């Protein structure tokens, strides 16, 4: 780690900033930016190979950071960055120890009867990250995202997912209608006007659970391809739950059924 | 609504800005600031009386805003504000139609056997708002907050609660240990190291559910006062769920048991 960069006009740093800020740049190049040691660690745990790792010069002295850097594959270039430079690149209130450019993991075709989440046009990065975190915790590992979803490998979604991305198989830009039509298990959409309570459903076999956009919900096309519209009973006075809470409730009702 | 204010140095606007920005000012005066027509509507629905309502001059022409303003009690002073002034007062990316200064609702002593949430030192406004939204949807209306919680009537928590505050009875600055000791129903704390699965618990009677700080969890003092430490089973690979997801899962497991 000889290089120390202190100028934000450095070409490597400019590339990093472009990837942080520009969704098209990230998607076209099939890359993502990992912020902080926790995410880098989670990526290394699943054998991803970062192309470039930028380390804050202060953090480079810390033993936990050094231990993590020692785990980097030889193909990863490591660059030290002067204090204050990260603040110009990320939107975080406190600058992370490391920023890493890393190729996105590629999802392979799952087993036909693997349970799965289908996410249609989810817009809020925090919601999407939370949904991924719940899916990872509940062990529903196949996640399909429509083209209209926010970039699932954006820095914000990665932060909010807290490493869940790397426990999942994430299928970006999926044709949800085709996926749902081809799925042989039980197909459920969450729907405010659903006539059937979630709690009457058998979720113990292979399921595809469809969740829709924060404002407009699941599209009619996907609703018509599903077996059942489920409603989460709300005895209280709230207008609705947000999509991340709804996903969490459904995913953990499945956990309950599988355990009881 | 004769007054039109265009200067941010106006005394009423300065008071508004102080209440938005300063937690001590809000707590000492027992006031809160409602941002946007949805929150103001929810407050009026439960007969709260805003002391001052500031209306953006553009929004004042809209029929939905006029209909809402027509519902204001006569004790509420209404002030029109010139375009661009709200942007200096709030941190929102798009300025709201209205900002209202309103006394906080006072919680009365609940029925002895009413189920309740006890929240210890919750720090993240988004988490706290989400928990309140889940509690309102799940009809657990009594919510006790320790002194160490973020201000539950801060603009951020109010936004994220989306009106849930007004469907609940919120007890601020509570002595959680005393409340828990006095409660006669079943007392549960969520705990990562809990030995008992949530799904084995009978939640159909009166319960007190204790949730703790994002980093350190529930304190030993409260754990020792509880009947059972419950763990949410996580068959997958996540380290943990955040406190809002954990609360949502527990609250809706209660909904399920009450419905099935």
């Amino acid at each position: 780690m000889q290089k120390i960069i202190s100028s934000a006009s450095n070409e490597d740093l400019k590339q990093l900033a472009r990837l942080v800020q520009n969704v098209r740049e990230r998607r076209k190049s099939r890359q993502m930016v990992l912020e902080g040691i926790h995410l880098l660690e989670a990526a290394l745990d699943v054998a991803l190979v970062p192309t470039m790792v930028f380390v804050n010069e202060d953090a480079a002295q810390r033993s936990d950071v050094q231990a993590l850097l020692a785990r980097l594959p030889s193909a990863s270039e490591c660059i030290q960055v002067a204090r204050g430079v990260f603040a110009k690149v990320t939107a975080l209130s406190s600058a992370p120890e490391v920023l890493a450019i890393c190729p996105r993991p590629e999802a392979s075709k799952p087993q036909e009867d693997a349970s799965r989440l289908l996410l249609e046009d989810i817009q809020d990065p925090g919601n999407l990250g939370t949904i991924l975190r719940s899916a990872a915790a509940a062990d529903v590992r196949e996640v399909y995202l429509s083209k209209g979803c926010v970039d699932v490998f954006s820095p914000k979604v990665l932060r909010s997912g807290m490493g869940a991305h790397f426990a999942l198989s994430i299928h970006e830009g999926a044709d949800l209608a085709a996926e749902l039509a081809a799925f042989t298990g039980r197909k459920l959409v969450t729907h405010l006007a659903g006539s059937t309570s979630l709690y009457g459903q058998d979720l113990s076999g292979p399921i595809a659970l469809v969740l829709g956009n924060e404002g407009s919900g699941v599209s009619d096309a996907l609703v018509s391809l599903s077996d059942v519209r489920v409603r989460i009973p709300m005895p209280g006075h709230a207008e609705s739950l947000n999509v991340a809470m709804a996903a969490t409730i459904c995913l953990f009702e499945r956990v309950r059924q599988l355990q009881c």
Side-chain angles (χ1 to χ4, degrees), chain A:
Chain A
M1 205 157 53
Q2 286 85 357
K3 269 204 223 179
I4 296 195
I5 302 180
S6 57
S7 156
S9 65
N10 171 276
E11 278 309 315
D12 291 333
L13 269 180
K14 274 161 101 176
Q15 171 62 4
L16 175 68
R18 267 196 301 274
L19 287 171
V20 167
Q21 288 149 19
N22 190 324
V23 54
R24 265 188 301 185
E25 186 81 16
R26 280 197 305 272
R27 281 185 158 152
K28 202 183 64 187
S29 66
R30 306 278 316 134
Q31 292 185 105
M32 60 184 164
V33 175
L34 307 171
E35 298 173 322
I37 55 175
H38 178 76
L39 281 177
L40 178 55
E41 199 164 27
L44 294 178
D45 285 346
V46 297
L48 290 179
V49 180
T51 47
M52 260 186 253
V53 178
F54 301 83
V55 187
N56 191 308
E57 63 173 338
D58 295 328
Q61 313 306 321
R62 276 170 40 184
S63 59
D64 58 336
V65 175
Q66 286 170 357
L68 182 62
L69 297 179
R71 290 183 56 197
L72 287 177
S74 56
S76 303
E77 190 183 356
C78 198
I79 298 167
Q80 229 181 102
V81 169
R83 194 173 305 154
V85 172
F86 275 178
K88 294 171 191 153
V89 176
T90 77
L92 295 177
S93 54
S94 62
E97 307 89 350
V98 296
L99 290 172
I101 298 177
C102 188
R104 300 176 176 215
E106 298 293 336
S108 51
K109 207 173 154 58
Q111 298 227 318
E112 211 172 73
D113 63 349
S115 286
R116 58 200 64 191
L117 270 189
L118 277 67
L119 304 178
E120 187 179 38
D121 300 359
I122 304 288
Q123 288 304 301
D124 182 80
N127 280 344
L128 184 51
T130 302
I131 294 172
L132 298 182
R133 208 169 154 193
S134 276
D139 209 24
V140 169
R141 297 198 202 172
E142 304 297 331
V143 180
Y144 291 81
L145 300 118
S146 70
K147 284 196 180 65
C149 282
V150 65
D151 180 20
V152 65
F153 289 105
S154 75
K156 271 191 189 172
V157 180
L158 281 160
R159 261 199 320 272
S160 142
M162 295 193 68
H165 289 72
F166 307 118
L168 300 170
S169 201
I170 295 179
H171 308 262
E172 298 177 74
D175 178 344
L176 298 188
E179 294 294 341
L180 198 58
F183 184 64
T184 54
R186 199 162 157 67
K187 306 162 193 178
L188 304 99
V189 300
T190 54
H191 206 283
L192 269 181
S195 50
T196 317
S197 164
L198 168 70
Y199 300 123
Q201 296 301 311
D202 180 1
L203 308 179
S204 61
I207 62 161
L209 177 65
V210 189
L211 292 144
N213 172 265
E214 286 89 346
S216 53
V218 176
S219 66
D220 292 344
L222 292 183
V223 169
S224 68
L225 286 166
S226 70
D227 296 321
V228 60
R229 298 192 298 179
V230 295
R231 180 181 39 84
I232 297 170
M234 284 183 266
H237 290 267
E239 280 178 25
S240 72
L241 298 162
N242 77 31
V243 65
M245 295 149 78
T248 302
I249 292 168
C250 294
L251 288 164
F252 278 84
E253 171 58 10
R254 180 174 172 274
V255 169
R256 186 193 69 80
Q257 291 188 16
L258 290 173
Q259 301 222 335
C260 294

